[in-house]
Amino acid sequence: MNLQSMKVSMPTYMSKEFEKMEKITEPKTKKMRRYSLVSLFMLPMAVFNIISLVFFTETMAVVPVFLFSAAGAVALALQKEVKVLLKEVQEMMVSYMKERMDKAAGMNPIRLNRFKTELEENPNQSVKVFAEFLEAEREWSGE
């Protein structure tokens, strides 16, 4: 996940935590980007070539159609893998956030549990919830 645009307006204590999280998720996000880029080019190429071979040639070449079909299938499989990796990255981020919340010393346990339940109930808002937690932790510690 690219948080560069958010880091500009983010306090340093928050950006350090998000950088730690990025280091943990970096291998999966790199893999996800590669797969996404490959499928981005393969799928339109395969569709375009299949259409041109089927509809705009006089003699239908079966072998190239099968090859481009296979390329399209690989591209769709890569897109599916990107979705799976994205879900794994989200789970890794949420588990990191929960571990970090467990390390919060002296914070009100009721408030801490509220942050944890928010993470579990709405993982799409996890970055926002974690930022709120970090801010609350900073206020609680009196820095």
Side-chain angles (χ1 to χ4, degrees):
M1 176 176 252
N2 190 357
L3 298 170
Q4 295 300 328
S5 60
M6 287 180 56
K7 287 182 185 177
V8 173
S9 62
M10 198 182 294
T12 56
Y13 65 94
M14 279 188 196
S15 64
K16 287 180 183 177
E17 289 294 330
F18 283 108
E19 285 174 6
K20 289 177 187 175
M21 194 173 7
E22 278 184 44
K23 286 181 183 175
I24 293 170
T25 61
E26 187 177 15
K28 295 240 186 223
T29 54
K30 278 185 174 181
K31 191 176 192 181
M32 195 171 65
R33 281 189 215 121
R34 270 188 253 128
Y35 287 176
S36 181
L37 185 64
V38 169
S39 71
L40 179 74
F41 290 112
M42 278 179 72
L43 188 61
M45 179 215 42
V47 170
F48 175 76
N49 284 315
I50 289 171
I51 290 172
S52 65
L53 284 171
V54 171
F55 294 114
F56 301 114
T57 59
E58 292 178 20
T59 60
M60 188 163 136
V62 177
V63 174
V65 170
F66 280 128
L67 290 175
F68 287 121
S69 297
V74 168
L76 290 174
L78 287 175
Q79 285 183 346
K80 181 76 171 175
E81 183 66 18
V82 167
K83 289 180 184 178
V84 169
L85 287 171
L86 180 62
K87 193 168 190 114
E88 288 177 13
V89 167
Q90 276 185 326
E91 290 171 0
M92 289 171 68
M93 289 173 61
V94 168
S95 71
Y96 172 81
M97 291 174 192
K98 286 181 182 177
E99 289 173 13
R100 176 61 179 81
M101 287 178 184
D102 289 338
K103 292 179 185 176
M107 192 171 189
N108 184 354
I110 296 169
R111 196 167 185 193
L112 195 59
N113 286 333
R114 183 182 63 84
F115 284 122
K116 286 182 183 179
T117 55
E118 271 188 69
L119 274 179
E120 291 170 1
E121 291 173 359
N122 200 358
N124 293 334
Q125 297 290 321
S126 61
V127 173
K128 179 184 172 199
V129 172
F130 190 59
E132 289 173 3
F133 159 74
L134 290 173
E135 193 167 320
E137 181 187 41
R138 187 171 173 91
E139 288 173 6
W140 186 266
S141 67
E143 289 181 16

